[in-house]
Amino acid sequence: MAPIFFTFIFHFCFLSTLVSAISFNQIQLPGNATGPEALAFELGTSRFYTGIADGRILKYRGPITRFVDFGFAAPNRSKSVCDGTSTSNPNPVCGRPLGMALHHLTRRLYVCDAFFGFGVLGPEGGLVTQLSTAAEGEPYRFCNAVHVHQPTGNVYFTDASAVYGIRELETAISVQDSTGRLLKYDIKNKQVTVLFRNLSGAAGVAVDKEEKFALVSEFIANRTRKIWLQGHRPYRSEIVNSMPTPDNIKRTILNNFWLAAARVDRRMQSNLLPVGVRINGNGSVLETVNLEPWYGNKSVSEVQEYGSKLYIASRLVAFIGVYNH
Ligand SMILES: *[C@@H]1O[C@H](CO)[C@@H](O)[C@H](O)[C@H]1NC(C)=O
Ligand SMILES: *[C@@H]1O[C@H](CO)[C@@H](O)[C@H](O)[C@H]1NC(C)=O
Ligand SMILES: *[C@@H]1O[C@H](CO)[C@@H](O)[C@H](O)[C@H]1NC(C)=O
Ligand SMILES: *[C@@H]1O[C@H](CO)[C@@H](O)[C@H](O)[C@H]1NC(C)=O
Ligand SMILES: *[C@@H]1O[C@H](CO)[C@@H](O)[C@H](O)[C@H]1NC(C)=O
Ligand SMILES: *[C@@H]1O[C@H](CO)[C@@H](O)[C@H](O)[C@H]1NC(C)=O
């Protein structure tokens, strides 16, 4: 039995290295757009939304029509002042959309804007309708990541810090801020509750299919936490993964999760190299995708599976990466 088994493994591996040629393509953003942070796909159309550095939410309508302006969260945003402004110093007048996720049934696009909190856009786009700027008396300082639980329509989102905004990220990192929160927008009563506090740079969130637990990345503390969503607050939690600088987390159809993170460069310890890791609900790494060939040491903020491909967002480039394997 054993020899047959090993022969099978050998042939399987050998063949798979032959057929699994990796390809990487770039979907360029429009000429004056840069810094896509997150991606929200429609169901079955290959169209997606992304928020960029100058405060716009763009919609990708396919290889011919490409990107169109879709929305924004800053009520006083002026195209002549804001369009084309870059990623290094986000401007509150322009807004900075980060996490976003579609509820497919209602076609509502939920958005976290670093300056304007948590809101929603209908299919017509335009100005984001603010849903919430504070929870339990504390304003959001850095609304960051969004996940919609499709069967219920409940929305989970994070405030990366209750003290430091997006323009004070360096300070938040240097003091190892741990005031981030996991929040829930309950679709039935339209109320926001704080599910979990004291997170250190809550940069990403994804909830499992059954809504039993959330995985939340803690960017500053280099860890990913599993938070059980049942029982009484504060919920039980455990640290399940320790990849450095974890950012957005996206669930796959098979109830695994893609985490955008980094690994330490063996040649130079201070250098972090971007990776996508597929993890299970217990944080165990099932697959690692090395993104250094296309991103060098630039960090990536999201890796999302759609169809058979991985779509990659990074605040430091002007394209969406499409990784095919
Ligand atoms: C930026 O690009 C968009 C679309 O290509 C265009 O409508 C807009 O006028 C441009 N803005 C500037 C300031 O170049
Ligand atoms: C938008 O502009 C109006 C009028 O100048 C001002 O009252 C309001 O505070 C501004 N809102 C924001 C969010 O900047
Ligand atoms: C957790 O957060 C609460 C409120 O945000 C704060 O009062 C408390 O001191 C924090 N606890 C720790 C251990 O940091
Ligand atoms: C997170 O990881 C990076 C890279 O290894 C390191 O420089 C940083 O000090 C770590 N942060 C914490 C809070 O351990
Ligand atoms: C990232 O790469 C650039 C050039 O490729 C290099 O100059 C820079 O020092 C690197 N950053 C770090 C933190 O190693
Ligand atoms: C995750 O951990 C739980 C409890 O330790 C275990 O029952 C379960 O099988 C694990 N799941 C996976 C996918 O490893």
Side-chain angles (χ1 to χ4, degrees), residues 74-76 92-93 116:
N76 292 347
V93 170
F116 295 96

Side-chain angles (χ1 to χ4, degrees), residues 1 21 31 50 73 76 107 114 125 154 175 186 194 240 245 250 302:
M1 197 62 199
T50 188
N76 292 347
R107 299 180 66 200
N154 289 329
V175 303
D186 191 307
V194 179
V240 294
T245 62
K250 288 285 150 178
E302 181 161 317

Side-chain angles (χ1 to χ4, degrees), residues 226 280-282 284:
K226 181 176 187 173
N280 67 14
N282 289 346
S284 306

